[in-house]
Amino acid sequence: MQIRIVIAASILGAGFIASHAMASEAPAASPAAATPAAVVMPQSVDQAATIAALTQENALLQEKLKALQSCSITSTDLAARNSKRLKEITADVRAQRQSMADFESYVKWMSGHVAGYSKYIQAGSVAARFARVLPIPYAGQASLFTKFVSDAAVSLGATSVSINKYLGTSQQFLNRADALDPNKPNYNQEVSDLVRFADQDLLKGMGDVQERLVTTSQLSTSSLSFLESLNHYVGTTDEYWNKTKALLKSDDKAEKSFLAESTAALRNKAQVFNTKLQFFDSTVKKTSPQIKALVAYDDLVRSMEPKLAKAK
């Protein structure tokens, strides 16, 4: 912007000089063509008026140039802006971290929960040899349910790893954001580096957790569907359940109670989990474009101070 201002000033100055020169270099009348004094006076007045008008116009343009100079933005100004936005993002990151503990607790509970009813699936696989149709989702495909339990365990384990990794990344972001100080000599560099960290590490970890949590929510829905169907058939004299409970070799009432309690617990916990997941999703949708905007401003800072890009 400062370059544009200098160019504009040069052009304006040149215009003023050219106009003044044209006015002062008007051809003088020859002695032979001298006119009466009464005719010459208006020419002198017009010339003076022109110079006065040009002088006034130049003064106005000089004022505009000063105004443009006062509006110029430096790399330090942009770094200060990004620093302020980074500190605003920390509020959402801290809110996310509070939810992480609840997500981790739910994932652990789900891992034990899936393992808890795996015995019903195993018994159902044996009973399927005697019953033509299994009265549960994926009827007649007990082997797929066995695979579901195995895949669920792997998925829940990956979710737990993703949560713990994001807790570490987000804490590093918070520490660096809190340490930003405009009085430090390398302030612009620290702001620029943190913007890049937020884009490349924080945002990536945030998205990974979001994806894993959505998968966990889907597992909860599938598990709840299985338990509700199985719980429905426990109270019947269905051939499937009669053969299955014989294989379980446990008290019929206890099994019914366990299934009923497990179904209710999963339904309630899943509702709480999904509510927190919706909040987490909203913070991701809010934070993601904010960080991308910071990167755009940081690109401008680095174009003004190339040494920042080289120092990374």
Side-chain angles (χ1 to χ4, degrees):
M1 181 174 286
Q2 293 174 347
I3 294 175
R4 291 199 298 269
I5 292 172
V6 172
I7 295 174
S10 301
I11 294 173
L12 293 171
F16 172 73
I17 293 172
S19 299
H20 180 69
M22 291 175 63
S24 62
E25 293 177 2
S30 64
T35 56
V39 179
V40 174
M41 284 184 62
Q43 293 178 352
S44 300
V45 172
D46 290 343
Q47 184 179 11
T50 300
I51 294 175
L54 290 172
T55 302
Q56 182 180 7
E57 182 180 356
N58 183 67
L60 291 174
L61 292 173
Q62 292 294 333
E63 289 297 325
K64 291 182 179 180
L65 284 174
K66 291 180 180 179
L68 289 172
Q69 289 175 338
S70 64
C71 293
S72 62
I73 300 177
T74 65
S75 59
T76 301
D77 295 331
L78 291 174
R81 178 197 179 281
N82 275 2
S83 177
K84 180 181 178 182
R85 296 294 183 269
L86 284 168
K87 290 183 180 295
E88 291 173 354
I89 291 174
T90 60
D92 287 328
V93 173
R94 286 190 169 90
Q96 289 178 346
R97 286 175 57 81
Q98 292 178 353
S99 299
M100 288 298 108
D102 295 329
F103 290 149
E104 176 69 10
S105 176
Y106 180 77
V107 169
K108 290 181 178 179
W109 181 84
M110 270 295 296
S111 298
H113 185 76
V114 171
Y117 65 73
S118 63
K119 63 178 181 179
Y120 296 105
I121 298 173
Q122 294 171 357
S125 298
V126 177
R129 301 172 185 175
F130 308 102
R132 293 183 178 181
V133 180
L134 298 179
I136 58 174
Y138 311 103
Q141 302 180 36
S143 60
L144 291 182
F145 250 112
T146 302
K147 188 174 185 300
F148 168 78
V149 172
S150 176
D151 291 345
V154 173
S155 178
L156 292 170
T159 302
S160 181
V161 171
S162 181
I163 289 174
N164 289 323
K165 183 177 180 180
Y166 181 65
L167 284 173
T169 302
S170 59
Q171 185 61 60
Q172 185 178 351
F173 170 78
L174 293 176
N175 293 341
R176 292 174 64 175
D178 292 340
L180 291 177
D181 185 356
N183 296 318
K184 292 182 178 180
N186 59 338
Y187 172 66
N188 288 8
Q189 183 69 60
E190 289 185 352
V191 173
S192 180
D193 290 345
L194 187 54
V195 168
R196 300 293 160 165
F197 177 83
D199 179 51
Q200 298 170 7
D201 296 275
L202 181 72
L203 200 56
K204 180 181 179 181
M206 194 183 299
D208 186 53
V209 169
Q210 181 187 36
E211 181 180 350
R212 295 294 183 183
L213 292 176
V214 169
T215 300
T216 299
S217 178
Q218 294 171 347
L219 288 174
S220 301
T221 301
S222 298
S223 299
L224 184 60
S225 176
F226 169 75
L227 285 180
E228 286 178 338
S229 296
L230 186 57
N231 190 39
H232 170 74
Y233 282 94
V234 165
T236 68
T237 57
D238 186 87
E239 180 184 3
Y240 164 77
W241 176 247
N242 289 331
K243 292 186 177 296
T244 300
K245 69 180 182 180
L247 294 169
L248 293 173
K249 299 179 180 180
S250 60
D251 182 69
D252 190 29
K253 293 183 178 179
E255 294 294 347
K256 292 180 181 179
S257 177
F258 172 79
L259 284 171
E261 292 175 1
S262 296
T263 303
L266 178 57
R267 184 184 299 109
N268 295 333
K269 288 181 178 292
Q271 288 177 351
V272 175
F273 172 83
N274 287 329
T275 299
K276 291 183 179 294
L277 178 57
Q278 289 178 357
F279 171 76
F280 181 80
D281 285 339
S282 67
T283 61
V284 174
K285 292 178 181 178
K286 175 185 176 183
T287 303
S288 180
Q290 288 178 329
I291 293 178
K292 292 303 181 182
L294 291 179
V295 173
Y297 279 103
D298 186 60
D299 286 340
L300 182 57
V301 172
R302 292 187 175 212
S303 67
M304 299 170 71
E305 292 190 42
K307 64 180 182 180
L308 293 181
K310 294 179 181 179
K312 180 64 177 175

